[in-house]
Structures are given as C-alpha cells and as structure tokens.
Amino acid sequence: MVKIEDLTFGYKRKGLLFDNLSMNLFPGKIYGLFGKNGAGKTTLLKHIAGLLFPKKGECKVFEQHSSDRKPGVLADIFVIPEEFELPGISIEAFVVINSPFFPKFDNIQMEKYLEEFQISNGQKLTTMSYGQKKKFLIAFGLSTNAQLLLMDEPTNGLDIPSKSQFRKIIASSANDERCILVSTHQVRDLGNIIDQVTIIDEGKIIFDQSIEEISKEFAFGKIKDGEEHEVIYSEEILGGKAAICKNKGMDSEVDLELLFNGVINNREKINNEFKK
Ligand code: ADP
C-alpha cells in the first residue's frame, strides 16, 4: 500500500534527515511508528501524505507517487496531524463541508464514534477542549473509511479514559483493507493494539518487526539475580530487572517500552536475534 524506496530528504539549512530510507506498509495492519522527539516521524508521515516531497528516491501510495497528490489517492488517505486548527463551525457543518472529499464517509459511524468518545453533536469546534478536538478529528478520520490512516501522536492531550477509548476504537476499526500508522513517542499508549513495531531514530528505520515475530523471539518479564536466563537487554527495576530474554517456549506480552529502550540502546544485538 505504501512503498518508500531510498527516500532522501533534509530541511533547508540542515543536513540530511533521511538518507536512503526504505520501508513498506501493507493493508490489514496497524503499525506503531515509535521514535524519540525529533527522530523524523512527522516528516515521514508528511512524505507519505504528499505534504513533503523527496529530494531523491520515491514514496508511493497505491502505486502512485504521493507527491503527485492525485485526488483519487488523497480520497483514500486521512491524516490526523499532531497540531491542527479547526474552524469556528459546528460538528455537523464540518461534516457537511468535508465529508464529500471522502466518498466512503459514513455518517452513522461518525455518530457512533462521537458517542463512544462522549462528544455531543451540535457543539462549535472552537469551543471544545484540545482533547475533545483531537477525539473529534479521530472520529471523523475513521468515518472517512480511508484505506490509509496516518495518525501523528494521536494520544497527546488525551486523558487516561480517552486513551483507552482510543485503543478500543482503533482496534475495532481495523480491517483487512485498512492500514493504520500511529506515530508516537509515548510507546505505552498503544497497549496491545499494534501488529507491527517500526522504530525510527535520527532519520533511520532501526527496527521493523511484527508483534508475532517479536513474541516468538523474545520473552519479557521481571528476573531476579541468580536466575538462569539468556538476557538480551535488561533494566534495573525495584527488586530485580525488567528483561528481554530469548524465548524458550514461554508466552509473554510484548513490553513495548522495554523493547523500545532495548532497540535504542543496542539495536545490533536485538536485530541480530531475528537474523538467526
Ligand atoms: P518527530 O516527529 O519524530 O518528533 P520531526 O519529523 O518533526 O520529528 O523532525 C525531525 C527533525 O527535523 C528534527 O530535527 C526537527 O527539528 C527537524 N524539522 C522538522 N520540521 C522542520 C522544518 N519545518 N524546518 C526545519 N527543520 C525541521
């Protein structure tokens, strides 16, 4: 669905941010794009959405260069940016004006998502809090039924109940045709909704594996001194260590934060485990 090949890009008066970056996104998957602040997540999303153009290399969505900004392609992409401004109109007016750009827009779904997010219809967008605006935009984005949904730090500004509503809604909106890319530096916010972990650091994709492969390869948990484990990465915690160990047939939930820290601290060691 998205094919990025040898993407090279840098902002003016700065060095190259992306130097031959390649990655693919497939339908039917929810991707977690993780990276520290300034890693290049937003810039990557903007390339996919056709809002920034590669200096070299290519970025294709539905087999078309995203920089061509073809209406047929744009109708199937929805971006929820980290920063946005909404006009001083009602929810209904926004939907009437903007939904025609998305032929698969579904009003009934929109009502359902708003209800789930506890946002009452009839409100003026500018009078809503930042968190409510964000939830409104997520509801609108999902209701477009765009095949490609790009979300930049969607959980920023959401309170704890809203974050869990967000996870529930995203998980239930996934289907075989849709590809959802959620970028965040708050790794824990995505809980167990993602299928693929993609980590970007200093403009490079330094890790890209499915949750299935990660669970097959690694076991995550607390270990104590003296216990026998083949430790790949560990961190001191109260009363022992949080560790990523070689999986010797044990099922455990992927600890995204520990995995992220492990990859940032020693990407070679973690990645080597997938090459064996
Ligand atoms: P992230 O989304 O991971 O926080 P960004 O893609 O926003 O990262 O930024 C990557 C790098 O590019 C940072 O060093 C940032 O300062 C720089 N950058 C982002 N936007 C601009 C811009 N419009 N002009 C110049 N530099 C920018």
Side-chain angles (χ1 to χ4, degrees), residues 11-12 14 17 35-44 152:
Y11 288 102
K12 273 194 192 121
K14 288 193 175 177
L17 174 61
K36 293 183 275 194
N37 286 319
K41 301 182 294 297
T42 303
T43 309
L44 187 61
D152 200 359

Side-chain angles (χ1 to χ4, degrees), residues 17 125 161 174 259-260:
L17 174 61
L125 295 169
L259 177 69
F260 179 76

Side-chain angles (χ1 to χ4, degrees), residues 9-14 17-18 33-46 52 82 152-153 183-185 200 203:
F9 176 82
Y11 288 102
K12 273 194 192 121
R13 288 186 293 279
K14 288 193 175 177
L17 174 61
F18 300 140
L33 177 66
F34 301 130
K36 293 183 275 194
N37 286 319
K41 301 182 294 297
T42 303
T43 309
L44 187 61
L45 257 58
K46 285 185 174 167
L52 282 174
E82 186 180 7
D152 200 359
E153 306 277 357
S183 109
T184 184
H185 68 280
I200 184 167

